[in-house]
Amino acid sequence: MRSRRVLALGLAVGSLLGIGLYARRGKAQERIDLYFADGSLTSLHGDSPQAAVLLAHAREALRAAGA
Amino acid sequence: MTEPFDELIEISSQIDAAVLFDGTGKVIASTLPDDRAARLASSARALFEEAGRVGEGDPTQLEAATAAGSLFVVSDGVNLIAASTSPEPTAGLVFYDLKSTLRSAAKPKPEPKVKPAAKGKPKPKRAPAKKNAKP
């Protein structure tokens, strides 16, 4: 009986960890790459405040596109 | 104006949807229905304008990568093109295809050759009047 509880608890903790890691992975993928006329590139990481505003527009555009 | 877009979708397997619009956000051509094309153009324009405030100078192109997919916006200074792809596309290829489409769209269409007006049938020349052979 006790081993079942431990197994269930282990599964629950493992699932939560998995969900957390998956969400983090998804978040880490988010970024904005800006290419300028002089050939320079600025890459904004998804969790930067500057990227947040740009990503909101991008998500809206992707929703319109049906992605 | 749909020819460059037909080509784009045909050539690029990575692009799901695309819209060509001017600096005011007016849709010129799109692979989407009108209402969705207008929404995509409006959001892409807002994104591009906001991006101009981030760095020094105006960007010429950008990629916004999200978990749902990527959005690409390219400008030629007059018109802009925005395209959506699935996650993790080959960015270089998508940019190349979008720039090619922008260039094609900017080219003035060659005027159709005007055929010279068909000439009417030449009038049969009247045979010279026979001289009266009466003695």
Side-chain angles (χ1 to χ4, degrees):
Chain A
M1 188 69 178
R2 191 166 176 241
S3 63
R4 273 191 177 183
R5 274 189 187 172
V6 171
L7 186 66
L9 189 68
L11 275 173
V13 170
S15 300
L16 284 174
L17 269 174
I19 290 167
L21 285 172
Y22 186 78
R24 270 184 73 95
R25 187 180 155 269
K27 198 111 178 135
Q29 283 175 345
E30 293 192 331
R31 65 170 205 294
I32 304 268
D33 288 342
L34 304 173
Y35 299 78
F36 294 90
D38 61 358
S40 63
L41 163 69
T42 301
S43 196
L44 304 173
H45 207 258
D47 51 14
S48 73
Q50 284 176 318
V53 182
L54 300 178
L55 282 169
H57 290 304
R59 284 193 203 99
E60 178 56 39
L62 285 168
R63 264 196 296 275
Chain B
M1 181 53 82
T2 56
E3 295 100 0
F5 269 78
D6 293 342
E7 269 182 34
L8 175 67
I9 295 298
E10 202 173 296
I11 292 168
S12 181
S13 57
Q14 303 189 67
I15 292 172
D16 297 329
V19 60
L20 176 71
F21 55 100
D22 66 12
T24 65
K26 186 184 160 204
V27 175
I28 299 167
S30 173
T31 62
L32 293 168
D34 288 351
D35 56 333
R36 283 170 60 196
R39 272 173 52 211
L40 173 55
S42 167
S43 301
R45 182 171 161 261
L47 169 62
F48 205 76
E49 277 184 2
E50 197 69 43
R53 295 185 196 117
V54 171
E56 285 175 21
D58 290 328
T60 54
Q61 58 190 46
L62 67 82
E63 178 195 359
T66 74
S70 283
L71 182 79
F72 290 81
V73 187
V74 179
S75 168
D76 67 357
V78 180
N79 295 325
L80 297 101
I81 188 168
S84 68
T85 69
S86 49
E88 297 182 26
T90 312
L93 288 178
V94 176
F95 277 131
Y96 179 83
D97 289 339
L98 293 179
K99 282 183 204 166
S100 302
T101 308
L102 257 184
R103 271 196 298 271
S104 308
K107 271 185 197 168
K109 280 185 182 175
E111 285 186 21
K113 284 181 183 174
V114 180
K115 283 184 181 176
K119 286 178 184 173
K121 280 186 180 177
K123 283 183 183 174
K125 280 183 183 173
R126 195 181 282 179
K130 279 182 187 174
K131 282 180 184 173
N132 204 341
K134 278 184 183 175

